[in-house]
């Protein structure tokens, strides 16, 4: 497997937003035998981005991954000096429709000032997605939600979510039957 690592939000970065990274890297990752990884740094402060991950052909070996390098990971509590994404507008922070996507170690603050604003949500639903070691601060807004998924075979673990108060959606919701989905060791 050829992992291609791109840097986001740092001096000498490859891309200054996750949206630009996703737009440049999506495609048929299986045919190109490529696993794309975005490492999100905290050098330039919070990312002000809302990201759509959609349009790639993926499998268990070749997929899109968003992570944080060790020095910029949170320690289980929110820190403005660590990697975080804080959009200035309402809406889904991450819309994830590709299969096998991995998002880990980010701090996510969905805006939620006057419209539905989940941290992670779907439009058409992908399968086999992994969400781990995330901090999601709903900050008590009645418009914020944590992780809202359709599809099957997801892994959602070791996340800390708080104050997500959007009716029905709340902290973690799997729509449809969620066949094979594992939700474990999360704190809400």
């Amino acid at each position: 497997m050829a992992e291609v690592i791109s840097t986001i939000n740092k001096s000498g970065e490859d891309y200054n937003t996750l949206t630009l990274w996703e737009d440049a890297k999506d495609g048929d990752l299986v045919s190109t035998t490529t696993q794309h990884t975005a490492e999100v740094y905290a050098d330039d402060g919070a990312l002000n981005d809302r990201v759509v991950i959609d349009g790639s052909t993926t499998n268990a070996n070749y997929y899109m991954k968003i992570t944080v390098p060790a020095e910029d990971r949170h320690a289980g509590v929110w820190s403005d000096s660590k990697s975080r994404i804080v959009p200035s507008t309402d809406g889904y922070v991450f819309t994830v429709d590709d299969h096998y996507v991995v998002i880990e170690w980010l701090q996510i603050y969905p805006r939620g000032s006057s419209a539905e604003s989940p941290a992670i949500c779907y439009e058409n639903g992908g399968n086999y997605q992994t969400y781990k070691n995330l901090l999601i601060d709903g900050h008590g807004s009645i418009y914020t939600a944590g992780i809202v998924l359709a599809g099957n075979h997801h892994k959602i673990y070791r996340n800390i979510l708080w104050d997500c108060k959007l009716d029905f959606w709340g902290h973690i919701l799997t729509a449809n039957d969620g066949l094979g989905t594992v939700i474990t060791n999360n704190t809400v």
Side-chain angles (χ1 to χ4, degrees):
M1 166 175 28
E3 181 181 22
V4 176
I5 298 173
S6 300
T7 58
I8 316 294
N9 203 37
K10 75 172 266 183
S11 301
E13 66 206 4
D14 296 308
Y15 301 94
N16 64 352
T17 69
L18 285 167
T19 295
L20 290 174
W21 168 78
E22 196 280 341
D23 288 347
K25 300 299 183 182
D26 69 354
D28 188 344
L29 306 185
V30 176
S31 292
T32 61
T33 62
T34 306
Q35 188 253 299
H36 285 290
T37 298
E39 288 189 341
V40 181
Y41 288 78
D43 293 11
D44 297 330
L47 284 176
N48 175 11
D49 203 3
R50 291 185 24 233
V51 186
V52 176
I53 303 173
D54 189 19
S56 290
T57 302
T58 61
N59 66 22
N61 295 313
Y62 308 113
Y63 54 90
M64 305 286 273
K65 177 180 178 179
I66 298 171
T67 190
V68 174
E71 66 270 19
D72 283 332
R73 291 179 178 173
H74 61 79
V77 295
W78 189 274
S79 172
D80 285 345
S81 67
K82 300 300 181 183
S83 292
R84 63 203 184 286
I85 186 164
V86 182
S88 60
T89 58
D90 288 340
Y92 301 2
V93 180
F94 287 95
T95 302
V96 184
D97 286 331
D98 283 348
H99 303 303
Y100 299 99
V101 171
V102 175
I103 300 177
E104 62 182 16
W105 288 109
L106 272 175
Q107 299 178 113
I108 306 171
Y109 187 94
R111 178 60 52 201
S113 59
S114 63
E116 290 178 354
S117 297
I120 298 169
C121 203
Y122 68 95
E123 285 293 325
N124 300 307
N127 295 307
Y128 302 99
Q129 298 167 353
T130 300
Y131 303 101
K132 61 183 179 176
N133 300 309
L134 301 171
L135 293 183
I136 299 175
D137 179 359
H139 56 88
S141 168
I142 61 169
Y143 298 107
T144 60
I147 300 170
V148 181
L149 302 175
N152 299 303
H153 304 286
H154 303 299
K155 297 176 187 170
I156 305 168
Y157 61 98
R158 290 191 213 129
N159 301 292
I160 301 173
L161 307 88
W162 66 99
D163 282 342
C164 299
K165 301 206 175 194
L166 183 60
D167 282 346
F168 184 69
W169 290 13
H171 292 92
I172 299 174
L173 171 71
T174 57
N176 303 330
D177 59 12
L179 178 71
T181 294
V182 176
I183 302 171
T184 187
N185 295 324
N186 295 285
T187 301
V188 294

